Amino acid sequence: MTMTPDTRLDSSGACEGVRDDFPIMRTRFGDLPLVYFDNAATAQKPRAVLDAVTDFYSTTNSNVGRGYHRLGLAATERLEQAREMVRAFIGARSVQEVIFTSGTTHSVNLVADAIGRSVLGRGDEVVVTEMEHNSNLLPWRALCERTGARLIVVPVGPHGSVELADFAAALGPRTKIAAFAHVSNVLGTVNPVREMAAQARRHGALVLVDGAQAAPHRPVDVTELGVDFYCFSAHKAYGPMGIGVLYGRQDVLAELPPYQVGGGTVKGVALNEPVAYLPAPARFEAGTPDVAGAIGLAAAITYLDDLGWDAIQAHDARLVHTALELLSTLERVRVVGDPARDPAGIVSIDVAGIHPYDVGGHLDGNGIAVRCGVHCASAFLDSLGLLGTVRISFAVYNTVAEIERLCQCLETVKPGMWTREHPTVRFL
């Protein structure tokens, strides 16, 4: 039975009923219970997701789209049911606009490769922002190096946000694509996607949005946002690792060449005739898909829908505001950016005089998992003048009590090996 949102999760920060849904939350390190604040890297999985994956492999395991037998047909049906659930989750108009990939990185590379072979040429421009994760920076940089196009990087202000005027100024008649994050994986900054997309499209540019940090924390409607491509990874939204989604507008996908070719992408092949590729999504899903992953993602979507977005966002806001209030009492701790402006479940901090890795190691010794370093966005940290940050990222199973424990541990952190012996080294 689906439970109403107010019985599953509210803004109190308690959520004990929700915590019971996640088996890993029972983990202990000796006498210390696990506090998991590394959700922006990967979120834990509820029992519903684990059961859905196990059920597929136990009852329906078969390849899809090829086998004319009951298991094969059942597996295909479950995959397409998952595709429909993703379509509804992101507000796409058609299931033909939903492509399963291995994750956000794969999705961006797919689009960059296709754009490079069909749209982009020497002297054209690709616009990104300074806050991008490497997965939404390096594919475009490599593409520009390969094609002779120019990579235009929009600067980020001192509070870690992109000014619309700066973004507009970077666009021009040679802009072919603008690619930017919905939510920064470093600071939790929420970009004005709708407005940025409208500006880019006024120049005739395509728009790709990295939604990896948005999908777990807020409702996404790609049609309302007015974007051409939107991508996210299941594992950050309580689903399995190794499965992701690329949304592409149907008319845009129809003009793009396939990224990889092979089984499942063609109607048939004759050695002496041109290859006839299937329309999207099949032309972009060569080989055997991660069927169990897609089914697990569908279960994660159902789980989020059952909790309710109003409750999820209220919970995020409570945790972010509580963290900011408690962190403000710690003399050496500085919050980077402005996570209170539009809470997205991420708070990044700098501890004066102590290397981020020493902070992370101290917290881990107390059973608290955070992410410390550059978060695959070293260029962004350079622009902020920081070696790295300690990133605290929340999920539906986190509590106010866990934040209190984190702040108590931060009071006792001291300079360690990294601070003394490797004060400028960073690699994560």
Side-chain angles (χ1 to χ4, degrees):
M1 181 180 69
T2 299
M3 304 183 73
T4 57
D6 63 338
T7 65
R8 301 288 294 148
L9 186 68
D10 58 33
S11 60
S12 69
C15 70
E16 288 303 322
V18 169
R19 288 177 68 82
D20 290 342
D21 294 337
F22 293 82
I24 203 168
M25 288 297 107
R26 296 192 287 270
T27 299
R28 300 185 71 86
F29 304 104
D31 295 333
L32 298 171
L34 168 66
V35 174
Y36 188 79
F37 284 151
D38 194 19
N39 298 286
T42 196
Q44 301 302 336
K45 321 306 173 195
R47 174 60 64 188
V49 170
L50 303 176
D51 288 347
V53 173
T54 299
D55 178 72
F56 169 74
Y57 281 126
S58 300
T59 68
T60 322
N61 182 46
S62 182
N63 215 321
V64 296
R66 282 81 149 173
Y68 191 63
H69 52 75
R70 277 174 284 188
L71 277 184
L73 295 173
T76 301
E77 182 178 7
R78 292 186 69 176
L79 176 67
E80 295 312 315
Q81 287 173 345
R83 197 185 306 274
E84 166 57 27
M85 293 194 69
V86 172
R87 183 209 64 75
F89 182 64
I90 61 173
R93 291 188 176 95
S94 167
V95 291
Q96 291 181 304
E97 298 179 318
V98 176
I99 298 164
F100 286 121
T101 66
S102 66
T104 304
T105 303
H106 179 188
S107 297
V108 177
N109 275 275
L110 187 161
V111 176
D113 179 85
I115 293 295
R117 289 188 287 130
S118 61
V119 175
L120 203 69
R122 181 171 297 278
D124 289 332
E125 295 173 351
V126 176
V127 173
V128 299
T129 80
E130 208 167 34
M131 70 169 60
E132 300 311 314
H133 186 286
N134 284 342
S135 292
N136 197 34
L137 171 64
L138 295 181
W140 304 113
R141 180 172 172 174
L143 175 61
C144 288
E145 291 170 352
R146 188 168 73 247
T147 62
R150 293 179 61 217
L151 185 68
I152 308 297
V153 182
V154 182
V156 173
H159 298 293
S161 59
V162 176
E163 297 297 329
L164 277 173
D166 292 337
F167 182 75
L171 302 167
R174 298 303 299 269
T175 305
K176 297 301 183 183
I177 187 160
F180 50 87
H182 194 159
V183 174
S184 164
N185 74 301
V186 177
L187 303 183
T189 307
V190 182
N191 281 320
V193 171
R194 187 186 306 103
E195 293 82 359
M196 293 170 74
Q199 288 182 346
R201 294 188 68 179
R202 277 197 288 271
H203 290 272
L206 297 170
V207 176
L208 177 141
V209 175
D210 169 3
Q213 299 300 335
H217 294 282
R218 55 192 54 225
V220 172
D221 187 327
V222 293
T223 303
E224 192 269 338
L225 291 174
V227 301
D228 300 290
F229 304 101
Y230 194 98
C231 43
F232 69 96
S233 300
H235 68 96
K236 299 180 190 294
Y238 310 100
M241 290 183 174
I243 183 76
V245 169
L246 169 64
Y247 157 80
R249 266 182 41 221
Q250 192 167 356
D251 58 324
V252 176
L253 292 177
E255 300 299 319
L256 297 183
Y259 173 52
Q260 297 174 321
V261 295
T265 63
V266 294
K267 296 178 181 178
V269 177
L271 294 179
N272 299 317
E273 296 178 7
V275 177
Y277 290 101
L278 292 167
R283 72 187 301 159
F284 299 107
E285 292 182 351
T288 299
D290 183 359
V291 183
I295 291 169
L297 170 57
I301 289 171
T302 298
Y303 186 82
L304 288 168
D305 286 343
D306 286 350
L307 290 180
W309 283 114
D310 287 345
I312 291 169
Q313 290 186 278
H315 185 72
D316 275 345
R318 171 62 185 262
L319 295 181
V320 168
H321 287 299
T322 298
L324 295 177
E325 179 182 354
L326 295 178
L327 290 167
S328 70
T329 67
L330 303 179
E331 185 176 348
R332 292 178 296 176
V333 174
R334 176 176 69 93
V335 172
V336 184
D338 186 13
R341 182 177 181 181
D342 189 359
I346 293 175
V347 176
S348 236
I349 63 172
D350 174 51
V351 181
I354 304 181
H355 197 293
Y357 298 163
D358 283 337
V359 179
H362 174 73
L363 293 174
D364 181 59
N366 286 275
I368 302 171
V370 297
R371 180 57 61 98
C372 50
V374 297
H375 320 297
C376 294
S378 54
F380 186 25
L381 272 295
D382 287 342
S383 75
L384 297 172
L386 293 170
L387 179 71
T389 70
V390 176
R391 187 182 66 189
I392 307 154
S393 53
F394 302 120
V396 296
Y397 39 72
N398 289 129
T399 67
V400 166
E402 290 179 321
I403 297 172
E404 292 170 345
R405 183 172 149 200
L406 167 82
C407 290
Q408 289 171 357
C409 289
L410 285 173
E411 289 180 333
T412 59
V413 66
K414 297 177 181 178
M417 181 269 292
W418 288 102
T419 306
R420 292 191 300 267
E421 301 177 24
H422 308 285
T424 63
V425 170
R426 61 183 186 182
F427 54 85
L428 297 174

